[in-house]
């Protein structure tokens, strides 16, 4: 899997409080016609479309450790948020296993292939009920009006952000106590707790990458956001592009490591 340009902007934007009616883009078209349209677009995810059909995703099924992490979750009747959903593979995975409602967000102005309605096409073919928000930054996810997600999928995003810790704070604020977040992304293999900033140099040759942490640094980013790590998965990747996956639970606790808790997280400190 190459380093993707899966980016969320740090800038505040004017956003609608209504999801895009994803299937309406292809409303009224028969399934056979919709399937004929699949090869016309550039897909990054390999999505099961039913009856043996699958989208030709250039990343295939992606990181197997994410698949393992997702398989650990009981999705039935869970309220789910998939951040930076792209074609929607993980959103559809959750829905197929009983999650409802599922919210899929992206910021398509900040990623490659932004003009291609791949999510909408898969949504129509699968007769999905997922709520799709293509113009919501992770920093502003509270505009969804939901503060009690059961599961958050935060895969392939944080290293594209100028402020990944702010993003984790924003996500903690929309999770109920005990909720699970799956965090996955690029890491450095160095020992220690630090992150490298990429502006003039490009991580994996990709200009959209900003911060890449060591595994220890990623853990601390997560833990300082009132998210307690409950499991970590096998490292996966090739050459420089090493990926780490972990699952963490939203907690309310006394954190003695803070002298003053950031105001956005004060309600989780007791």
């Amino acid at each position: 899997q190459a380093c993707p340009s899966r980016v969320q902007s740090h800038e505040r934007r004017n956003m609608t409080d209504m999801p895009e009616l994803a299937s309406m883009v292809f409303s009224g078209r028969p399934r056979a016609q919709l399937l004929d349209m699949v090869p016309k677009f550039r897909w990054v995810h390999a999505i099961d479309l039913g009856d043996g059909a699958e989208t030709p995703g250039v990343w295939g099924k992606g990181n197997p450790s994410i698949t393992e992490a997702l398989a650990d979750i009981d999705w039935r009747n869970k309220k789910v948020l998939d951040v930076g959903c792209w074609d929607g593979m993980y959103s559809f995975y959750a829905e197929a296993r009983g999650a409802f409602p599922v919210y899929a967000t992206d910021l398509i102005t900040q990623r490659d292939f932004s003009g291609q309605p791949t999510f909408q096409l898969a949504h129509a073919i699968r007769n999905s009920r997922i709520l799709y928000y293509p113009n919501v930054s992770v920093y502003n996810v509270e505009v969804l009006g939901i503060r009690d997600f059961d599961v958050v999928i935060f895969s392939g995003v944080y290293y594209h952000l100028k402020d990944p810790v702010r993003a984790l704070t924003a996500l903690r604020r929309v999770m109920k106590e005990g909720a699970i977040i799956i965090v996955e992304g690029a890491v450095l293999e160095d020992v220690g707790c630090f992150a490298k900033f990429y502006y003039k140099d490009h991580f994996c040759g990709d200009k959209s990458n900003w911060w890449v942490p060591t595994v220890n640094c990623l853990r601390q980013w997560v833990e300082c956001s009132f998210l307690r790590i409950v499991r970590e998965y096998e490292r996966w990747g090739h050459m420089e592009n090493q990926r780490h996956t972990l699952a963490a639970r939203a907690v309310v606790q006394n954190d003695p490591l803070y002298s003053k808790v950031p105001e956005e997280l004060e309600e989780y400190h007791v």
Side-chain angles (χ1 to χ4, degrees):
Q1 179 177 342
C3 292
S5 297
R6 185 175 185 170
V7 192
Q8 302 283 343
S9 172
H10 69 287
E11 299 176 353
R12 289 196 172 272
R13 299 171 181 271
N14 294 323
M15 287 175 283
T16 177
D17 59 358
M18 295 293 290
E20 176 176 306
L21 298 176
S23 294
M24 293 299 292
V25 176
F26 299 100
S27 178
R29 303 191 188 195
R31 175 178 168 83
Q33 185 179 102
L34 295 173
L35 288 171
D36 285 343
M37 298 178 69
V38 169
K40 298 179 180 180
F41 300 110
R42 176 79 180 266
W43 298 80
V44 297
H45 290 157
I47 299 170
D48 181 4
L49 300 175
D51 300 324
E54 185 176 86
T55 61
V58 295
W59 299 342
K61 296 298 184 182
N63 182 347
S65 292
I66 304 175
T67 303
E68 185 179 357
L70 297 177
D72 281 343
I73 296 172
D74 178 1
W75 297 94
R76 291 171 295 181
N77 301 312
K78 296 298 192 297
K79 188 178 296 183
V80 174
L81 171 63
D82 182 12
V83 179
C85 63
W86 206 298
D87 296 336
M89 180 168 67
Y90 302 132
S91 303
F92 296 124
Y93 177 100
E95 182 183 46
R97 286 155 182 80
F100 181 81
V102 178
Y103 290 73
T105 67
D106 212 340
L107 195 56
I108 60 172
T109 59
Q110 299 294 303
R111 53 155 248 216
D112 292 340
F113 321 130
S114 59
Q116 298 195 95
T118 49
F119 184 100
Q120 296 94 323
L121 181 55
H123 191 281
I125 294 171
R126 292 175 59 96
N127 293 312
S128 174
R129 295 189 294 170
I130 292 173
L131 300 171
Y132 178 49
Y133 294 80
N135 297 298
V136 172
S137 165
V138 63
Y139 300 128
N140 300 321
V141 71
E142 285 186 83
V143 301
L144 297 176
I146 308 296
R147 294 287 304 270
D148 62 347
F149 283 107
D150 298 296
V151 182
V152 173
I153 304 167
F154 190 43
S155 172
V157 177
Y158 68 73
Y159 50 96
H160 292 302
L161 304 175
K162 279 190 173 180
D163 196 342
V165 178
R166 178 184 167 199
L168 286 164
T169 295
L171 293 174
R172 175 61 187 92
R173 288 180 56 80
V174 299
M175 297 170 66
K176 71 180 186 182
E177 185 177 0
I180 289 289
I181 183 170
I182 303 298
V183 180
E184 183 273 346
V187 291
L188 303 173
E189 294 190 276
D190 306 60
V191 176
C193 182
F194 61 90
K196 290 184 178 178
F197 186 69
Y198 292 90
Y199 172 53
K200 292 187 177 180
D201 297 320
H202 304 139
F203 182 75
C204 286
D206 186 341
K207 294 180 180 179
S208 74
N209 295 319
W210 290 101
W211 285 104
V212 181
T214 62
V215 172
N216 192 12
C217 182
L218 177 61
R219 290 175 183 140
Q220 294 197 40
W221 283 354
V222 170
E223 291 170 343
C224 79
S225 306
F226 289 84
L227 299 164
R228 181 181 300 150
I229 296 171
V230 295
R231 185 174 175 189
E232 297 183 61
Y233 297 83
E234 185 176 353
R235 191 84 48 81
W236 178 85
H238 60 277
M239 299 179 67
E240 187 181 16
N241 185 23
Q242 296 297 308
R243 322 282 295 190
H244 194 70
T245 304
L246 61 83
R249 191 174 299 279
V251 294
V252 176
Q253 64 182 13
N254 182 285
D255 189 339
L257 299 178
Y258 272 115
S259 60
K260 296 291 183 183
V261 178
E263 59 181 298
E264 296 88 353
L265 293 171
E266 284 178 336
E267 63 190 278
Y268 311 116
H269 182 78
V270 294

